[in-house]
Amino acid sequence: MQPVLGCWSSYLDGVRIKLMTALYKRTLALLFAVLSGIIIGGVGVMFSLTFASMIFQGPLQSFLAAGISIVLVSGIVMRLVVRGCSSTPLIIMDVEPLPTALLALSAGTLARQLSPTATPDAIFATVLIVMVILTLLTGLGLWLLGHFKLGKIIRYMPWPVFGGFLAATGGLLLKAGLEVMLVTPVSGETGLSFWLLHAFPGVALGVLLIGLTRPTHPPWWMPTALAGSLGLFYGAIWLSQTPLTLVLNRSWLLGPFPHQGLSWQPWHLLSLSQVDWSVVPMQLPQAGALLLVCAIAILLNASALEVILDKEIELNQELKAAGIGNFASGLAGGIVGHQVLSDTTLAYQLTRENRWTTLIAVGVFGYVLMLGPQILSLCPRFILGGLLISLGASRLYKWLIQSRAQISKIDYALLVGIMLTIMIWGLLPGIGAGLTAAIAIFVVQSSQTSGLKYVLSGSHYLSKVERSPQQAQLLKQRGERLDIWVLQGFIFFGTAHQLLTRAKERLSDEQRPKLNGILLDFRRVKGLDSSAVLSLRKLQQLAQAHSFVLIWTHLTPTLEKPLYQGQCLEKQDPLCQVFPDLDRGLQWYEEEALKESRWRRQRVVPMSLQLNHQFEQPTDTETFLDYLELLDFSAGDLLFNQGDNARYVYLIESGQVTLFRPLLSGQDQRVQTIRRGNPVGEIAFFQQSTYPTRAVIDEISTLYRLSYENWLQMSQSHPTVAAQFQTWIIRRLSLQLTTAYQEIGDLLK
């Protein structure tokens, strides 16, 4: 009995230890999540104060307390929404500097326009309604981009335009940081001493934060620096025994606020009658800029987070989550935001996959919101200014210094011009001027780039139809009358006019043979506009006037439709031929060139007569044929498949064989069409490897087959005959290699 009780006691002790260990781990994880949430929430609150101070300046200064509450509410709503809608629950969404800079620019411009005649309450109500509408429109736009999976179209925005915009926002952030710190105190103190006391600490903190926020540094260094700066500030006040009223009077702190109480309320409860609705429509275009900024920021942040979190992030889902978050923020009277890279990285570094961190951070936001302005008014201005200076200086350095070595001089000049235009005349004039300049530069550069990638001659570039030596020689002679134009890029008026000019120059060149045709290969063409269709129509008229044929190849349905509509293509016109690819177009021209020659028809000639000129003696030909096996095939028969062991080499007495290679798209590409008197599969046969292509009989054919066993026996019993056969194969391969070198030489010209 005693051993049984001992075993039971040991089992209970083990269970108790496991439970205690699990409880300890869960408690430790919860405590760490609470600590991390408090840190992340504290950093978020600090940024909220910074962004509110950035927007609510000048005529809106008296509503800073309400502005802080608006930003805090935005952070609460967006963090909760994105937690349920994001592809990764750890991702954090909050108010960010780029869209805030746009809102600050819009709010400042709007407030200055209204201030001469409107009351402060009317200005605040109008600015708030404009920000709410812009937030709702931005949220709707982001959701539509994600829903229809159109996020990647933002990548087609001209990079200098976006770079100039980002550089301008960096300048605006830097300017806002100085304005937050350099508020004229009640005492009227100005000059160098005022700048040193108020701006220098913030500039120093901004430089420190730039150094601490490098990718190689741990993310928790920034909150440590902010907390240390706050401790040093109040430690200096305590050691110097400076009264708090004096500190407040000298504008070192964010407060005091004119209105006691954060006074947040939903926008629909405001007095909408005070809103100046006449100015609202003029601000709506700003939603396009906000949508562009948020979409690009989400794209960049998602790419960076995939590396940091080591997991795939669904971009379109993040766009939809950002759209829902902004729409919810707008309904709550908040402002625009998007997924935050820094806060998400900090949360991941501290807690990995602990989802409680976001809820704890939201609790910090809510707690600060309930405390009211008494605690927030004690935040030093130099900390908020330092944050803005670090953000602005980082962007200016990246886009004005680092980008200089990465882009061309003309793109860099465009970037700087857009930045200065935005900072002097505003956002919309800057982006409008930038897009106009980018389009003009594109047109100029495109006009200097030829739409012709290659210009080839039909004498060197032949179809993949293996012909007799007599036919091949004739086609090389008549190939000088065919020009092959391989087009590229987007064809518009300038590039299409170049084609027309080149055709006229070719017709007037008396040193070259008369032009019989021009083959236009559209395989590398991305599109064409209506002006290009007009020029190509003139090219068709030129062909009709001078009786040369235009051969159109690789036309997609997108390209073919406008060409038919513009009468560039006519189905009944013998001088207009359309083929699915370049090879088929060349084959048609070659067949037309052979029609008038005595080599047009290939008579059925016995294999012995076809091989007589390959062997020294007729008896050698007969000896060689003794080792071959005669086979008859019908059209559509499979001669061999790709990957089959190359046990045979075939010789065509009559008929035709085509070799195909499968493409990734599932379609087959013609490699070569081989006619009578030529071998099939000889390279793989002598290498004793597998056939690299699939061989299909095109028509009723008669072939001779040489097995590898018979070849070995021939090499032993009749080495002279085997050597003559090898010499013939080597001559054929040498001729093919010479032709390939000529084609490569033409392509490299």
Side-chain angles (χ1 to χ4, degrees):
M1 188 67 178
Q2 232 172 6
V4 174
L5 292 176
C7 292
W8 179 251
S9 178
S10 299
Y11 173 75
L12 291 178
D13 289 340
V15 172
R16 189 182 302 108
I17 292 173
K18 290 182 179 180
L19 289 175
M20 293 296 294
T21 302
L23 181 61
Y24 171 76
K25 289 182 178 180
R26 288 183 176 274
T27 303
L28 187 63
L30 182 60
L31 290 176
F32 201 67
V34 171
L35 178 62
S36 302
I38 292 174
I39 294 174
I40 295 170
V43 173
V45 168
M46 191 66 68
F47 274 105
S48 297
L49 298 180
T50 303
F51 297 146
S53 302
M54 184 177 174
I55 297 175
F56 292 88
Q57 299 185 56
L60 297 173
Q61 177 69 34
S62 60
F63 295 95
L64 178 57
I68 293 173
S69 69
I70 290 171
V71 179
L72 288 174
V73 169
S74 303
I76 292 173
V77 172
M78 287 188 286
R79 287 169 184 260
L80 290 176
V81 169
V82 82
R83 186 177 183 273
C85 299
S86 174
S87 59
T88 302
L90 195 63
I91 290 181
I92 295 173
M93 179 179 176
D94 203 349
V95 178
E96 276 284 83
L98 289 182
T100 303
L102 293 184
L103 288 179
L105 186 63
S106 177
T109 303
L110 187 58
R112 286 189 295 271
Q113 291 175 351
L114 296 174
S115 58
T117 57
T119 63
D121 289 337
I123 295 174
F124 174 71
T126 304
V127 169
L128 179 58
I129 287 298
V130 167
M131 290 195 301
V132 166
I133 294 176
L134 292 178
T135 302
L136 293 172
L137 292 176
T138 303
L140 178 61
L142 289 172
W143 186 87
L144 290 174
L145 284 177
H147 179 72
F148 292 104
K149 304 183 186 303
L150 299 175
K152 292 185 179 180
I153 64 173
I154 303 300
R155 298 184 188 274
Y156 293 95
M157 178 75 174
W159 195 246
V161 177
F162 184 62
F165 167 72
L166 288 179
T169 57
L172 294 174
L173 290 170
L174 197 64
K175 177 175 176 288
L178 294 175
E179 290 176 348
V180 167
M181 295 184 293
L182 297 178
V183 178
T184 304
V186 177
S187 60
E189 181 184 4
T190 58
L192 180 61
S193 61
F194 173 69
W195 193 93
L196 290 174
L197 286 173
H198 290 77
F200 180 76
V203 173
L205 177 61
V207 173
L208 176 64
L209 291 176
I210 292 174
L212 294 179
T213 52
R214 292 180 179 178
T216 56
H217 291 165
W220 47 265
W221 280 19
M222 185 185 68
T224 303
L226 295 176
S229 301
L230 188 63
L232 286 175
F233 176 78
Y234 278 103
I237 292 177
W238 179 72
L239 290 176
S240 63
Q241 297 183 352
T242 304
L244 186 59
T245 54
L246 178 61
V247 176
L248 289 169
N249 188 50
R250 295 174 67 89
S251 299
W252 281 337
L253 302 179
L254 192 60
F257 298 128
H259 301 288
Q260 294 302 312
L262 288 180
S263 64
W264 172 82
Q265 55 182 334
W267 60 270
H268 57 271
L269 297 181
L270 293 173
S271 179
L272 298 181
S273 60
Q274 297 184 18
V275 176
D276 187 348
W277 295 101
S278 63
V279 300
V280 173
M282 294 184 293
Q283 302 297 322
L284 296 184
Q286 303 279 4
L290 285 169
L291 175 62
L292 176 64
V293 168
C294 291
I296 294 180
I298 292 170
L299 289 174
L300 298 177
N301 289 349
S303 301
L305 287 173
E306 283 183 335
V307 177
I308 295 172
L309 304 181
D310 192 23
K311 62 172 59 178
E312 184 177 354
I313 294 177
E314 178 57 42
L315 174 61
N316 291 305
Q317 181 62 33
E318 293 305 318
L319 288 170
K320 291 170 65 176
I324 297 172
N326 277 294
F327 204 82
S329 175
L331 292 178
I335 60 175
V336 180
H338 56 76
Q339 285 81 344
V340 185
L341 177 62
S342 58
D343 284 10
T344 304
T345 304
L346 179 60
Y348 180 74
Q349 294 282 350
L350 293 176
T351 62
R352 297 294 174 180
E353 296 294 339
N354 198 319
R355 302 182 182 183
W356 288 98
T357 305
T358 301
L359 297 179
I360 300 299
V362 168
V364 172
F365 273 62
Y367 179 71
V368 173
L369 188 63
M370 289 187 298
L371 283 178
Q374 289 79 11
I375 186 67
L376 297 178
S377 64
L378 300 179
C379 180
R381 286 183 175 271
F382 82 92
I383 293 181
L384 307 182
L387 281 172
L388 290 173
I389 287 175
S390 67
L391 294 172
S394 298
R395 281 162 175 78
L396 285 175
Y397 177 77
K398 178 178 180 180
W399 294 102
L400 288 184
I401 306 301
Q402 289 184 330
S403 66
R404 179 63 189 87
Q406 300 171 353
I407 59 178
S408 64
K409 292 182 179 179
I410 189 169
D411 285 342
Y412 183 76
L414 177 60
L415 186 152
V416 174
I418 293 172
M419 181 196 73
L420 295 176
T421 304
I422 291 176
M423 295 189 66
I424 297 173
W425 287 289
L427 174 67
L428 294 181
I431 292 182
L435 288 175
T436 303
I439 293 172
I441 292 173
F442 171 77
V443 171
V444 172
Q445 291 177 341
S446 299
S447 64
Q448 297 174 349
T449 302
S450 175
L452 285 170
K453 185 173 181 64
Y454 303 119
V455 178
L456 307 173
S457 171
S459 62
H460 294 159
Y461 201 91
L462 303 175
S463 71
K464 295 174 182 178
V465 177
E466 189 80 10
R467 303 185 187 275
S468 66
Q470 297 84 357
Q471 289 179 329
Q473 184 63 30
L474 178 66
L475 291 176
K476 282 185 174 294
Q477 295 173 0
R478 299 194 176 183
E480 289 289 341
R481 300 176 180 271
L482 174 68
D483 279 6
I484 303 170
W485 295 354
V486 180
L487 309 181
Q488 65 177 350
F490 188 88
I491 307 299
F492 61 103
F493 175 76
T495 52
H497 185 72
Q498 290 176 359
L499 302 180
L500 181 62
T501 303
R502 190 178 188 91
K504 292 179 179 178
E505 292 174 352
R506 173 64 178 85
L507 290 169
S508 62
D509 189 353
E510 297 180 354
Q511 297 180 356
R512 298 181 62 184
K514 179 184 176 182
L515 183 67
N516 282 348
I518 296 177
L519 190 149
L520 302 170
D521 181 44
F522 282 78
R523 177 174 43 182
R524 294 177 175 85
V525 173
K526 305 300 181 183
L528 51 84
D529 64 3
S530 56
S531 62
V533 174
L534 179 62
S535 294
L536 293 175
R537 170 59 179 161
K538 293 180 180 179
L539 180 62
Q540 177 70 12
Q541 293 172 345
L542 187 67
Q544 293 172 349
H546 292 81
S547 300
F548 66 87
V549 64
L550 283 180
I551 305 171
W552 308 75
T553 66
H554 279 288
L555 288 176
T556 63
T558 304
L559 298 173
E560 197 174 52
K561 182 178 179 181
L563 290 175
Y564 272 115
Q565 290 176 343
Q567 297 182 342
C568 298
L569 303 179
E570 297 181 7
K571 295 182 179 180
Q572 305 301 325
D573 187 357
L575 297 179
C576 176
Q577 301 293 328
V578 181
F579 296 95
D581 54 50
L582 173 64
D583 188 42
R584 303 291 180 181
L586 286 172
Q587 181 181 352
W588 177 86
Y589 177 81
E590 292 169 359
E591 298 291 347
E592 292 295 310
L594 291 171
K595 280 184 178 180
E596 300 176 359
S597 71
R598 63 191 181 94
W599 304 107
R600 174 190 175 190
R601 296 186 180 275
Q602 295 187 359
R603 296 172 295 172
V604 178
V605 179
M607 180 60 69
S608 58
L609 295 179
Q610 296 183 38
L611 295 179
N612 270 342
H613 62 282
Q614 308 298 343
F615 291 90
E616 296 177 357
Q617 301 293 333
T619 55
D620 293 339
T621 304
E622 296 299 328
T623 301
F624 177 72
L625 290 175
D626 289 340
Y627 287 93
L628 305 184
E629 179 184 359
L630 181 64
L631 302 172
D632 292 321
F633 294 93
S634 300
D637 288 348
L638 180 66
L639 186 61
F640 55 77
N641 212 342
Q642 183 184 30
D644 290 348
N645 291 326
R647 297 179 54 236
Y648 305 101
V649 61
Y650 299 87
L651 299 176
I652 304 176
E653 182 180 62
S654 64
Q656 179 174 293
V657 178
T658 298
L659 305 179
F660 294 97
R661 179 186 294 112
L663 300 176
L664 295 177
S665 61
Q667 298 178 343
D668 287 335
Q669 179 187 38
R670 182 173 74 163
V671 177
Q672 193 177 26
T673 295
I674 307 173
R675 292 182 174 176
R676 70 173 181 87
N678 293 297
V680 181
E682 67 276 17
I683 296 178
F685 175 79
F686 282 107
Q687 289 180 339
Q688 273 303 281
S689 58
T690 59
Y691 295 117
T693 57
R694 179 168 55 91
V696 178
I697 305 296
D698 293 333
E699 56 191 47
I700 297 175
S701 304
T702 300
L703 281 71
Y704 282 84
R705 183 171 73 179
L706 173 63
S707 68
Y708 193 73
E709 291 78 9
N710 287 351
W711 159 251
L712 294 177
Q713 184 179 353
M714 183 197 309
S715 300
Q716 294 176 358
S717 304
H718 299 88
T720 303
V721 175
Q724 292 180 62
F725 175 61
Q726 279 186 317
T727 301
W728 174 47
I729 297 298
I730 292 172
R731 283 201 303 266
R732 289 190 70 262
L733 295 178
S734 299
L735 180 61
Q736 292 176 1
L737 188 59
T738 301
T739 303
Y741 278 139
Q742 290 176 341
E743 293 179 3
I744 294 173
D746 288 342
L747 295 175
L748 293 178
K749 287 180 181 179

